[in-house]
Amino acid sequence: MKDAKASAGPVIEFRSVAKAFGGKPVLKDLSLAVGRGEVMFIIGTSGVGKSVTIKHLIGLLRVDAGEIWFDGQRIDQLDERGFYPVRRRVGMVFQNATLFDSMTLTENVALPLRKLGGLRMKAALEQARVRLGEVHLTEFADRYPAELSDGMRKRAAIARTLATDPEVVLFDEPTTGLDPVSARRIDRLIRELADHRGATAIVVSHDLTSIFTIADRIAFVYQGGIRALGTPAELQASPDEVVQQFIRGKSSGPMETPGF
Amino acid sequence: MSRRGEGGRIAGLFEGAGAAAINVAREAGGMVMLLGSVLRALVPPSMDGRELVRNLHKMGNRSVPIVALTAFFAGALMTIQSAPFVQRLGATSLAGWAAGYAVLREIGPILIALMFSGRVGANNTAELGTMTVTEQLDGLRALAIDPVRYLIVPRVVAMIVMLVALTAIGDLVALLGGAALGKAALGIEWTTMYHSFADNLGPQDFLQGIWKSLAFGGAIAITSCHFGTTVRGGAVGVGRAVNAQVVASAVSIMLLDFFLTYMNI
Amino acid sequence: MSDRPGILASLTDRITRVGEGAIGTVRAAFDLVVLFLGTLGGLFRRAGRPRGAVVEQMHIIGNRSVVFVAVTLGFLGMVMVYQTCLQFNKVTGDFSQVGVQFIRLIVSDFAPTLTGMMLATRVGAGIAAEIGSMKVTEQIDALRMSGVLPVDYLIVPRFMASVVMTVALTVLGGAIMWLAGGLTAQYSFGVNPNIFYDLSLVTGVHVGLGLVKSLSYGMAIPVVAGFCGLRAKGSSEGVGWATTAAVIGASFSVIVLDFIWSILGFMIFGGSL
């Protein structure tokens, strides 16, 4: 099954991407190919550049060097306007959910339907309710984001991103700060996305439970590049001491962490 | 903390002035860029109508009471200032002239714009700033919705429309305030004051204030959106942005007022 | 929410809301007065005031506002004289009264009030943003826990600095207005500077009135702004709200105080003002 996906060619490819902030290099030479319909996890310690990596895909950040390809098209050189067609096909769920405070959940989800799907307000709101139902938020549809828990907000944000059926969905730490039950619900949503809708998911996470339950493949980012890449089983069997230290969550070992 | 010589102190002063100048130039450049993208977004005039209506409603609700109060006091104050002169000369028919002229052309538009900047502009900066620090603007971009088109343009249009409307209303309230004070403190009859206004003021006095308010509205809108969307650093950053916004708006209002007066529009 | 018939319910609802709003306003006004009195009391307590704080605040409130006040008042001076000359030009063409009346109004009103308005904007927003940020990050609670009165630590130094600096900036702003106005009169309307820069109408009453206004604005701005900052709630939104409220509150206090002092001045001195 996985071989069949890989043969179709990668949907997203990073080629030797480098990115520095204020003279401090974060990504040095990062190369990674993500196959269609795959659930790819990007893992690593805080501040290693995982979120930075995926933000390049929708043009929120620009590379200093290297190339990024999406579906056979080079996208790292596009300008802000050029990225809008890409953003219609690549959705992102942010770490802070980023729901709009001034709108109810339904209005939040209806916004992309109205703006991108070209639906009228009434149709968009109806559609939005259906989408909220898919993430089990029907009874909170008319509440404002501030009145809800983190887990609910995150689910609503996922519903909003999925409303326009993007081909690739980026998740930035979708389970961080959630209780275990909410976290597992979100895991299931991501897995279903790949299995039932054929979408590609790239998930930035350090939630070990998610990583080993739903990932097809895992990319371990370390010192500005990919240190290890493989299926969960392959990573668990990795002889690399650094990888072992991270996935076992040990405080001492060969891993160099900035700030400690 | 080390003591520097007199030369070092002066060099430091120049350094500070240079840094401040660069900072001002950077912010001004950012505002010009924002103005450019707002104008470009307006070329085929498409705008989210719901956002426009929502903003008009909210901005109007927020600012009408404070603007009306300010205008009333402004009119009254102008009458008080001319009162000693009028009383000494016994020229009550001139009371409306001085007060009305100052209110319509200068004090009305400027004070109303300053209050509008403090209320609506500051609020807009705080709101956009909060959206920026919580990544809601990036969230919009990730949804393939252009924040300039969706968020900024309706706000700019709403602020300009609202300030012009408020200035027109405020002018009337200010004249009323002037007349009320004239009656209360100087014993000038309402009708005398009315004739004094009507004989000495023309539509061009009113229109100059309105033109000014149009420009002030645009300046406040661009300033407040610029500082709101460039916030960095959480709650502290939002406070700082609001502070910078009110200062920059006040300076732009004064500069615009100067140029518009000289061009005699 | 209620099972009473619609109109009646919404009416009582509205009345309740207005009532609650009124109670809130009265309570806030009461708190503001308490804060003002607490600040006055704090002037005589040396203990809670950090060393060098007043000087530091004088720098932040005063020195950093110099350019702002100079630019805004300078332009206002030019515009006002220009407009006045334009009017005189239409009616009599006699400019001899422009300068002498202008300086009378600068001293008794324009300099203190316009400087006050500008400072209400800049200083008011700055104080509220700073204190509001400390409030939402629980630094104010930390102060209380360490036995320091927030009023002594935060408000009193700003109050002292503001009173001194508002008067100083008023003198500076007034001078710049006068100078800029004179230049405009000279270059745009050919008014002789010797006639324009005429102080003969300015009396001690004008100076006194201007000083009283200036002092009262200097007191009101930090107290109102600090009050708004201390009431900040939540996170970044709360700080933004507090800053906005401070700008409006402080500006409006300046307008109302100006109104009160001007009326009192006119009632006492009448036509001789």
Side-chain angles (χ1 to χ4, degrees), chain B residues 205-235:
Chain B
D205 297 316
F206 175 74
L207 279 178
Q208 190 183 39
I210 293 297
W211 282 120
K212 283 181 175 175
S213 71
L214 196 75
F216 296 163
I220 294 168
I222 294 292
T223 317
S224 69
C225 289
H226 167 73
F227 283 101
T229 50
T230 50
V231 167
R232 259 155 219 262

Side-chain angles (χ1 to χ4, degrees), chain C residues 99-176:
Chain C
V100 79
Q101 294 291 347
F102 188 49
I103 187 63
R104 175 183 72 85
L105 282 170
I106 286 182
V107 172
S108 68
D109 191 58
F110 291 165
T113 303
L114 294 171
T115 306
M117 279 296 283
M118 292 300 119
L119 290 180
T121 300
R122 208 201 86 84
V123 174
I127 290 175
E130 202 183 342
I131 295 181
S133 304
M134 293 181 72
K135 174 77 191 300
V136 299
T137 53
E138 295 174 328
Q139 291 178 52
I140 307 270
D141 292 333
L143 273 182
R144 260 199 208 103
M145 294 299 286
S146 48
V148 179
L149 278 177
V151 172
D152 288 1
Y153 190 85
L154 294 171
I155 313 280
V156 173
R158 286 172 175 77
F159 182 84
M160 295 167 78
S162 165
V163 170
V164 175
M165 283 318 210
T166 305
V167 175
L169 286 168
T170 297
V171 174
L172 174 86
I176 289 176

